[in-house]
Amino acid sequence: MNLKQLAQELGLSQTTVSRALNGYPEVAEATRLRVVEAARRLHYRPNTRARSLATGRTMAIGHVIPLSTKHEMLNPIFADFVAGAGETYHRAGYDMILSIVSDGDEERAYRELASTRMVDGVIVHAPKTDEPRIPLLAEIGLPFVVHGRSSKATAPYSWLDVNNRRSFQRAAGFLADLGHRRIALVNGIETMDFAARRREGFLRGLADSGLAPDPALMTSDEMTEGYGYRAARRMLALPDPPTAFVVASIITAFGVRRAVEGAGLRLGRDVSIITHDDDLSYLRNGEDIPIFTALRSSVREAGRRAAEILLETIDNPGHAPITELLEAEFLIGESTGPAPGPTPALVAQKQMADR
């Protein structure tokens, strides 16, 4: 079925149907819903080639992915983000192009996408605190949206981010309110902007509670299960171990939990954990009751919204940059509880030290 046939089926003009399918605001909501439902029911898909000829666009969006062993987003979180973005592209009749490049070829890849007009825009993933892709894309004139932010960027640009600083400030404060005084941070790579903001928030949360940070209880690395296990096992072996952890990823949190249980400790009783949860489609934080107390923010929904912002940017090239800051939802799970009291062994050790 083509656009003309769909319009005839609905008794509407082709212009109205096209505008309804592309989300133009002047189309009444009832009309838009009617058109979208008919398109779904009749299996209508826009003719991408015809639309490209009519608009001068490629009707494709690019994602450039570097093959780095330390790249934070080359993990299942990226797959959920792309799935969400793909839903938006599909509704708007856009294709998605994934370009896998070596780390040193990123700039060349972006310049090639722009010069050959292979895509109408790109989404930038995993920005660093000083992100070189932002001025590069502004220079070559390729529309873009950043998933995250770059603290040192000076020129305005479009972005969608979670309030990472606020989230980790809340996490540290919550644990301090439960009586924990030895609180550890198991963070992502801190050259990445999201991880730098999380560290800032964690430190602010400690300071708000009158607690001094201990460098021995703060670590950063690629967010894997193995990293969480190794970091927690090392910290739990300290003479004065942490009684609580703030963790940057639910994947890493599973490693922290493995270390806690491997040390013969009980989660939520002897040791508490709060983690960031990207609400992944295939890796749920429990069912009715969350396994982990968590700061939840759907990465799939972020993909949908970032794609919408990019398409708005492409449709309105002279419009001011669009920025959106999302707040994470705080969920109480089974992994947190009051700080444990001193064990008889620790009490005896302290009494011996005081003599």
Side-chain angles (χ1 to χ4, degrees), residues 10 12 16 20-21 24-38:
L10 290 164
L12 299 171
T16 298
L21 290 171
Y24 282 80
E26 61 266 28
V27 178
E29 181 65 11
T31 301
R32 188 190 69 80
L33 292 174
R34 181 179 164 221
V35 170
V36 169
E37 170 57 26

Side-chain angles (χ1 to χ4, degrees), residues 2-14:
N2 58 34
L3 182 65
K4 181 178 180 180
Q5 292 169 328
L6 179 61
Q8 290 173 342
E9 177 74 21
L10 290 164
L12 299 171
S13 70
Q14 293 184 53

Side-chain angles (χ1 to χ4, degrees), residues 2 20 41 46-47 52 82 84 98 102 106 161 180 182 200 205 229 251 260 268 332 341 355:
N2 58 34
R41 176 170 46 84
N47 186 322
S52 177
V82 167
L98 295 180
S102 62
E106 276 192 270
D161 198 11
H180 294 276
R182 297 283 290 167
E200 291 170 8
Y229 173 73
I251 298 170
V260 168
I332 305 298
R355 290 177 183 173

